[in-house]
Amino acid sequence: MARLVSPRRGPVIAAGAVVWRATSRGDLEICLVHRPRYDDWSLPKGKLDRGEHPMVAAVREVWEETGHQVRLGRKLPTQRYEVAGRPKVVHYWLAEADDTAGPREPDDEVDAVAFRPAEDALERLTYERDAELVRAALDGPVRTTPLVLLRHAAALSRESWPGPDIERRLSTPGIRQAEALIAVLAALSPRRVLSSDSVRCVDTVRPFAERFRLMLELDPSLSEEGLRAGPNPHRAGDVVRSLLSDGPAVVCSHRPVLPLLFEAAGTDPGPTLEPGEFAVLHHHEGRVVSVDRQSAGVA
């Protein structure tokens, strides 16, 4: 009699961060956690909750395992390995430690949190794959500023919309994307929210701006109408160039405008962003050093 074979389960998806801090002398320290269950020293990470975005999970897991509330920095290489015969995929980012965090009480998951000088951390980490991540983190600026270039969420089709295109609204899936973006964008802690004055762009970022009481800055040059009207079609690029010397920000615009924004930032736009997708341009001293493409959906 033939045995029924269970289909291979999908990979376990997890997320975490290389958390760092600078000492008063300017030396770099890396955060390690000790897990009593495995008696190992590793980087803070954990599995995604159902429907959770990896960026959101990375921030949550760092908080749960270290007591530090962090903003994500540069994306680091993704780890892929097997655990008990099942593939595991772990997404990692850099993150600066929270200098207001107090000591974390030990528990069954993590019984010690330690910041160690970078070279010491490389030696103490139990797994070479974690040490490779730390080396990747150190191979570039550790403190960067995120500039998010976001394509508006899914909108009603042009054919079905009876009014002016600038007033075209989000579809039901687009509304869900805008709600999902609240937690995802929060992982980057933007302090400015800029948008095309088209309704579909405004409604994409309004939920996030309202949740965190941020001013929603409308700029017609970021709209398709502004791109066509002139008189200066490159005004949108000026917006991005100014933001490369500013703090964390998100810019919501349209498919035809986004290539101008990438060009102004001095980086390759890559494949066209789909509705609700965004690119995080991590910049340092006015220069983009890393680009991380993400969407409002889960991995």
Side-chain angles (χ1 to χ4, degrees):
M1 181 177 178
R3 292 187 299 117
L4 294 176
V5 179
S6 299
R8 183 180 178 88
R9 292 182 295 171
V12 175
I13 309 296
V18 174
V19 180
W20 64 275
R21 72 181 182 190
T23 68
S24 58
R25 296 182 301 177
D27 297 325
L28 203 67
E29 294 184 332
I30 304 297
C31 182
L32 310 181
V33 296
H34 184 264
R35 301 182 300 174
R37 178 181 177 185
Y38 304 103
D39 189 24
D40 62 6
W41 285 97
S42 63
L43 303 169
K45 67 178 184 299
K47 291 186 292 186
L48 274 60
D49 290 338
R50 185 177 182 84
E52 189 176 32
H53 193 282
M55 293 172 62
V56 178
V59 172
R60 175 183 57 77
E61 286 291 339
V62 168
W63 165 253
E64 292 178 358
E65 294 197 350
T66 71
H68 286 258
Q69 185 66 51
V70 297
R71 180 185 80 200
L72 298 184
R74 282 192 290 122
K75 182 76 167 64
L76 296 173
T78 300
Q79 289 186 353
R80 290 177 171 84
Y81 52 95
E82 285 199 357
V83 176
R86 187 177 180 187
K88 186 169 185 177
V89 177
V90 191
H91 301 277
Y92 278 97
W93 286 263
L94 261 168
E96 185 172 3
D98 176 5
D99 59 10
T100 67
R104 179 191 183 278
E105 291 297 321
D107 57 28
D108 292 341
E109 294 291 328
V110 172
D111 61 357
V113 177
F115 279 87
R116 306 300 304 171
E119 289 301 321
D120 185 16
L122 289 170
E123 294 180 3
R124 183 168 296 203
L125 282 165
T126 302
Y127 308 107
E128 175 58 24
R129 60 176 177 263
D130 287 349
E132 290 176 358
L133 274 174
V134 173
R135 294 187 190 100
L138 299 177
D139 187 23
V142 291
R143 180 182 285 124
T144 57
T145 303
L147 171 57
V148 179
L149 300 184
L150 166 67
R151 182 177 175 184
H152 64 76
L156 298 171
S157 69
R158 296 179 193 269
E159 294 75 16
S160 67
W161 180 251
D165 192 61
I166 197 171
E167 297 176 3
R168 185 155 51 96
R169 300 188 178 279
L170 298 181
S171 63
T172 298
I175 293 171
R176 289 197 293 266
Q177 285 179 318
E179 289 297 318
L181 279 166
I182 296 174
V184 178
L185 293 177
L188 298 164
S189 302
R191 296 198 294 266
R192 293 183 65 186
V193 182
L194 296 85
S195 173
S196 154
D197 56 351
S198 296
V199 169
R200 56 192 181 277
C201 278
V202 173
D203 287 351
T204 297
V205 289
R206 187 198 302 276
F208 172 79
E210 290 181 345
R211 175 71 61 86
F212 293 96
R213 299 181 180 180
L214 297 172
M215 178 186 297
L216 182 50
E217 306 173 42
L218 303 187
D219 192 326
S221 73
L222 296 170
S223 70
E224 291 188 61
E225 290 75 14
L227 181 64
R228 291 193 295 265
N232 181 4
H234 300 296
R235 166 78 177 97
D238 294 338
V239 172
V240 165
R241 282 185 284 269
S242 71
L243 291 173
L244 291 178
S245 59
D246 201 355
V250 55
V251 176
C252 185
S253 189
H254 307 259
R255 180 184 57 79
V257 184
L258 284 164
L260 289 176
L261 307 187
F262 280 99
E263 180 182 355
T267 189
D268 184 352
T272 301
L273 292 172
E274 296 298 323
E277 288 186 341
F278 59 92
V280 188
L281 278 54
H282 289 281
H283 55 96
H284 175 73
E285 297 180 348
R287 183 175 65 89
V288 175
V289 297
S290 173
V291 179
D292 178 19
R293 296 172 64 98
Q294 296 284 339
S295 71
V298 299

